[in-house]
Amino acid sequence: MDEKRLTTDSGWRGAFAMWLIAATLLGAGLRFHQLGDASFWNEELYTIRSCTNLGEMHRSKVLGYVPTALGLWFAGVDPSELSVAEPETWRSLGVTEWWARLASCVIGIVSIPLLGYASRGVLGWRAAGMLSVFLAVSPWHIYWSQASRFYTQQYVLYNLCLLWYFRATAEASRGRFAASMVVLLLAFLTQPPALVICAVFAVDWLVGLLRGERVRLGRFGWVAG
């Protein structure tokens, strides 16, 4: 079914790379525009404060704070020094809105070509190209790409998980299925609520069972999950 879909809009295949590049450049411009203009808000301050003790944070969400910590390191700021300082003094230590948000911005930009390319086998070339453009101009996605929070990271991880899962189960691909489970683990380590994806898996498995389908990778799928 996937190959048939890819063939029906083959005219878009040659232009797909150009759509992806244009969407990525557009998305980058929108996300870097006024990236550091707005002042920190409470949840961003909480994120920065959490970066000061990543070693003590529960492992189920530590990955969600690593990008902000890396942004601070690139700015020459040692996050551990912030734990003994008040937020009002952080700016004097080198903490700025731009550097704190940089990692989320980069993740948001990278997610445009990544999800666009990953979706072509499920949606087809034309729809995947349009998806990348819509994602580039999405107000929700732009907003969280300009915030020092974990939402864009979790978004790209659980969407990659879903895309690879459906591609794997449609084609009985063990490699893609295993990859989707690895990405699910990374999404969980970003924030535990990512496990809500398992409800989608359960519904898909139940529908396949009711329809008598056997394209769910059977025992391998359960073990990998």
Side-chain angles (χ1 to χ4, degrees), residues 65-136:
Y65 296 90
V66 169
T68 300
L70 290 176
L72 295 175
W73 275 107
F74 277 116
V77 178
D78 183 354
S80 63
E81 296 179 355
L82 305 179
S83 61
V84 294
E86 294 299 323
E88 293 79 7
T89 65
W90 286 354
R91 196 174 299 277
S92 64
L93 298 175
V95 178
T96 66
E97 287 85 353
W98 197 91
W99 281 107
R101 296 166 181 164
L102 178 61
S104 291
C105 181
V106 172
I107 292 173
I109 294 169
V110 170
S111 69
I112 297 171
L114 191 59
L115 293 178
Y117 185 79
S119 64
R120 78 200 189 288
V122 177
L123 305 176
W125 297 100
R126 178 173 54 184
M130 295 174 66
L131 179 147
S132 63
V133 174
F134 288 141
L135 187 58

Side-chain angles (χ1 to χ4, degrees), residues 54 79 119 133 166 188 196 202 209:
L54 291 180
S119 64
V133 174
F166 286 115
F188 168 74
V196 72
L209 181 67

Side-chain angles (χ1 to χ4, degrees), residues 190-202:
T190 299
Q191 278 294 307
L195 289 183
V196 72
I197 303 173
C198 294
V200 179
F201 299 158

Side-chain angles (χ1 to χ4, degrees), residues 20-205:
L20 217 57
I21 293 172
T24 303
L25 293 175
L26 174 62
L30 292 173
R31 282 153 183 77
F32 273 116
H33 179 61
Q34 298 180 334
L35 177 61
D37 286 10
S39 299
F40 284 125
W41 51 298
N42 288 339
E43 289 195 20
E44 288 183 307
L45 294 175
Y46 173 79
T47 298
I48 296 171
R49 176 71 75 183
S50 298
C51 291
T52 65
N53 60 347
L54 291 180
E56 301 175 10
M57 184 180 294
H58 196 281
R59 289 296 179 267
S60 64
K61 60 180 180 179
V62 67
L63 193 61
Y65 296 90
V66 169
T68 300
L70 290 176
L72 295 175
W73 275 107
F74 277 116
V77 178
D78 183 354
S80 63
E81 296 179 355
L82 305 179
S83 61
V84 294
E86 294 299 323
E88 293 79 7
T89 65
W90 286 354
R91 196 174 299 277
S92 64
L93 298 175
V95 178
T96 66
E97 287 85 353
W98 197 91
W99 281 107
R101 296 166 181 164
L102 178 61
S104 291
C105 181
V106 172
I107 292 173
I109 294 169
V110 170
S111 69
I112 297 171
L114 191 59
L115 293 178
Y117 185 79
S119 64
R120 78 200 189 288
V122 177
L123 305 176
W125 297 100
R126 178 173 54 184
M130 295 174 66
L131 179 147
S132 63
V133 174
F134 288 141
L135 187 58
V137 299
S138 166
W140 181 93
H141 199 271
I142 294 172
Y143 182 85
W144 289 114
S145 296
Q146 294 186 324
S148 182
R149 295 293 285 163
F150 49 78
Y151 296 111
T152 50
Q153 179 176 332
Q154 186 173 5
Y155 177 85
V156 67
L157 288 172
Y158 66 59
N159 275 287
L160 273 179
C161 174
L162 288 174
L163 287 168
W164 285 344
Y165 168 83
F166 286 115
R167 185 89 184 265
T169 53
E171 301 175 359
S173 171
R174 293 187 173 186
R176 282 197 179 92
F177 191 90
S180 73
M181 294 298 102
V182 170
V183 175
L184 174 59
L185 174 61
L186 295 177
F188 168 74
L189 294 176
T190 299
Q191 278 294 307
L195 289 183
V196 72
I197 303 173
C198 294
V200 179
F201 299 158
V203 171
D204 180 62
W205 180 84

